[in-house]
């Protein structure tokens, strides 16, 4: 470094060791009329582990505790949040931006299905278009005084999770998994991606952890013994909930009645949040 260095690298032709490569900032600002205090991502290494259920129940749990809650459904090609909440109306806009729909208890929801003419219309888009739509749900939707905005992300570590991590100020993520050994291996990919992106990990939720017989109350591990405690320990994380297989939960989501489910199993997560 030169003795006459003024710390303005653009005015200097010298190659000094202290010069660091500039990093591109992809962070997007929310809509100017939005007010969001905390953004929590819900992620999984693979599909089919109940990530949308966990997202829905986290929103319901925090709403019941007196917080204003929203859900940004970033799973563009497989949106299920509106159906779980029984929301069938379409999102509308005004001269300022897009207005999210509200559930029966007041949870604000934005999902691609709230913009499609028919809920069953497929979204046949390439990755960059899908990622751009997720950003629009942050920059063009007016989130009205939200304490907790939960982002239901698609599975894996591809375009959309990367876009969310880089574009939206995530305060922390919850990783959802199931007991199978294969899934535990894939969970580590999600954990390592979050670590690479410097995203705080709130904890791991294991869904379908066991089945409790309604007749004898005995617990059966349908998918065998779980390895998730070891995965969590290896990364200095906590398993913050283990959820059972319960047909009543699936039925409630199918009927759009997720807001009526018992949230006692999510009490620990609510305290952490």
């Amino acid at each position: 470094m030169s003795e006459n260095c003024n710390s303005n690298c653009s005015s200097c032709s010298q190659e000094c060791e202290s010069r660091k490569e500039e990093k591109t900032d992809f962070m997007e600002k929310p809509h100017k009329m939005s007010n969001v205090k905390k953004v929590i991502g819900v992620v999984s290494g693979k599909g089919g582990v109940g990530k949308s259920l966990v997202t829905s129940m986290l929103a319901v749990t925090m709403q019941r505790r007196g917080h204003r809650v929203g859900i940004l459904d970033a799973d563009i090609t497989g949106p299920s949040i509106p159906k779980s909440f029984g929301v069938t109306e379409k999102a509308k806009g005004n001269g300022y931006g897009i207005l999210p729909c509200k559930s029966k208890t007041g949870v604000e929801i934005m999902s691609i299905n709230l913009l499609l003419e028919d809920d069953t219309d497929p979204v046949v888009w390439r990755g960059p278009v899908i990622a751009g739509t997720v950003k629009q749900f942050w920059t063009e939707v007016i989130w009205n005084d939200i304490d907790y905005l939960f982002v239901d992300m698609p599975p894996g570590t591809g375009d959309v999770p990367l876009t969310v991590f880089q574009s939206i100020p995530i305060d922390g993520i919850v990783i959802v998994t199931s007991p199978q050994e294969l899934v535990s291996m894939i969970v580590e990919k999600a954990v390592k991606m979050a670590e690479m992106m410097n995203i705080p990990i709130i904890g791991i939720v294991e869904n379908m952890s066991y089945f409790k017989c309604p007749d004898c109350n005995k617990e059966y591990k349908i998918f065998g013994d779980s390895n998730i405690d070891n995965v969590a320990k290896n990364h200095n994380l906590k398993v913050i909930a283990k959820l059972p297989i319960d047909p009543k939960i699936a039925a409630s989501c199918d009927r759009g009645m997720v807001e009526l489910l018992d949230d006692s199993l999510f009490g620990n997560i609510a305290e952490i949040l």
Side-chain angles (χ1 to χ4, degrees), residues 51-52 72-80 111-112 134 152-155 160:
K51 175 179 46 58
S52 295
L72 191 163
D73 189 356
D75 195 351
I76 302 297
T77 59
S80 57
S111 171
I112 193 65
V134 172
D152 183 19
M153 287 199 267
V160 174

Side-chain angles (χ1 to χ4, degrees), residues 120-133:
T120 61
D121 288 343
V123 178
V124 188
W125 298 343
R126 295 192 182 275
V129 178
I130 294 175
T133 302

Side-chain angles (χ1 to χ4, degrees), residues 6 41 66 68 78 95 110-111 116 141 152 155-156 170 176 186 191 196 205 234 257 264:
N6 61 3
R68 294 180 63 90
M110 189 64 228
S111 171
L116 298 176
V141 172
D152 183 19
I170 301 290
V176 184
I186 296 176
V191 170
M196 288 172 59
V205 173
N234 290 340
M257 302 169 67
S264 58

Side-chain angles (χ1 to χ4, degrees), residues 45-46 49 175-192 204 206 223-232 234-235:
K46 69 180 297 296
V49 297
I175 297 177
V176 184
T177 182
S178 60
Q180 299 101 313
E181 181 73 21
L182 172 64
V183 177
S184 296
M185 179 270 291
I186 296 176
V187 164
E188 293 211 52
K189 294 181 182 292
V191 170
K192 290 178 180 179
I204 301 175
E206 184 178 76
F223 296 109
D225 292 330
S226 170
N227 188 44
I228 197 61
D229 290 316
N230 292 331
V231 174
N234 290 340
H235 292 273

Side-chain angles (χ1 to χ4, degrees), residues 28 72-74 76 98 112 115 123 125-141 159-164 167-168:
E28 298 280 354
L72 191 163
D73 189 356
I76 302 297
I98 304 170
I112 193 65
L115 298 175
V123 178
W125 298 343
R126 295 192 182 275
V129 178
I130 294 175
T133 302
V134 172
K135 286 197 288 187
Q136 285 181 294
F137 285 175
W138 173 248
T139 60
E140 298 184 20
V141 172
D159 280 349
V160 174
L162 180 61
T163 296
V164 171
S167 305
I168 300 177

